[in-house]
Amino acid sequence: MSKATGAGSAASGTNGARGPATDSQGVTVTTYDDGPLPAERPAAGQQAAQPYHPPQAYATQGGGSAGTTGTVRRPRTGAKTTPRTRKARLRVAKADPWSVMKVSFLLSIALGICTVVAAAVLWMVMDAMGVFSTVGGTISEATGSNEHNGFDLQSFLSLPRVLVFTSVIAVIDVVLATALATLGAFIYNLSAGFVGGVELTLAEDE
């Protein structure tokens, strides 16, 4: 037995409808096949869950979805990019005299130590080569006489005397270098107040 709904026409083939029909009183009705009525159908939440397809970053070729067979457009991994260089133009507006004095003092001490060590190594090398004995003998013969011997170069240029003389020069160098560097910082600050200081361009590669 078929079921009938209210008056009105419906498209044939939708929701199990056979098509419009006319009853004995001339009223057009739509008949349905035997099956669940719209009220008896399962709710939307009770239907079978469909697989979830996440959104794709790139559209597939041919209009297919991510689940269909097709070639997916992928970003190029081997593309070469030109590195950019950031540049900053800076200006040295002021030099702190106290920091300049400390740095110059330490650098001058290191330079003085290197001077003493270099003088000692040079004296040992020249003594091993026989320079002092040869040159000393020549000077002694040239300055000697029958009454007294000539100038003794080897005793005058002995290692302790050379090291003491070099140490005195190193100490003087430390004092002068520190004072000149500090004075130079004051002079630079005065000149930077008039002309703006030294400009530097710094570059950073990305």
Side-chain angles (χ1 to χ4, degrees), residues 22-58:
T22 306
D23 58 0
S24 59
Q25 298 180 358
V27 179
T28 302
V29 296
T30 302
T31 60
Y32 294 87
D33 292 334
D34 291 338
L37 295 176
E40 298 175 355
R41 295 174 185 173
Q46 298 177 358
Q47 295 180 358
Q50 298 295 331
Y52 173 72
H53 298 287
Q56 300 295 325
Y58 300 95

Side-chain angles (χ1 to χ4, degrees), residues 176-196:
L176 290 179
T178 305
L180 291 177
T182 307
L183 182 61
F186 280 106
I187 295 176
Y188 176 80
N189 292 336
L190 292 177
S191 61
F194 293 100
V195 298

Side-chain angles (χ1 to χ4, degrees), residues 7-203:
S9 61
S12 176
T14 60
N15 298 328
R18 291 181 179 177
T22 306
D23 58 0
S24 59
Q25 298 180 358
V27 179
T28 302
V29 296
T30 302
T31 60
Y32 294 87
D33 292 334
D34 291 338
L37 295 176
E40 298 175 355
R41 295 174 185 173
Q46 298 177 358
Q47 295 180 358
Q50 298 295 331
Y52 173 72
H53 298 287
Q56 300 295 325
Y58 300 95
T60 57
Q61 296 181 356
S65 62
T68 59
T69 303
T71 304
V72 180
R73 181 182 176 186
R74 297 179 179 178
R76 295 181 299 173
T77 58
K80 296 182 178 180
T81 58
T82 303
R84 297 181 300 173
T85 302
R86 296 189 303 175
K87 294 184 179 180
R89 193 171 184 180
L90 304 178
R91 182 179 60 187
V92 182
K94 182 180 180 181
D96 188 13
W98 175 247
S99 61
V100 172
M101 185 184 69
K102 292 187 295 184
V103 173
S104 61
F105 178 73
L106 294 178
L107 291 179
S108 58
I109 287 179
L111 182 60
I113 295 175
C114 293
T115 303
V116 174
V117 173
V121 172
L122 182 62
W123 188 94
M124 293 179 182
V125 172
M126 294 179 66
D127 184 62
M129 294 175 61
V131 175
F132 295 115
S133 60
T134 303
V135 177
T138 303
I139 295 177
S140 179
E141 291 178 0
T143 58
S145 62
N146 296 329
E147 297 178 357
H148 62 278
N149 296 329
F151 181 74
D152 190 3
L153 182 63
Q154 290 183 349
S155 61
F156 180 77
L157 293 180
S158 61
L159 182 59
R161 185 174 293 181
V162 170
L163 292 180
V164 170
F165 181 73
T166 307
S167 301
V168 172
I169 294 178
V171 171
I172 296 174
D173 178 65
V174 168
V175 176
L176 290 179
T178 305
L180 291 177
T182 307
L183 182 61
F186 280 106
I187 295 176
Y188 176 80
N189 292 336
L190 292 177
S191 61
F194 293 100
V195 298
V198 179
E199 293 185 355
L200 303 176
T201 301
L202 305 180

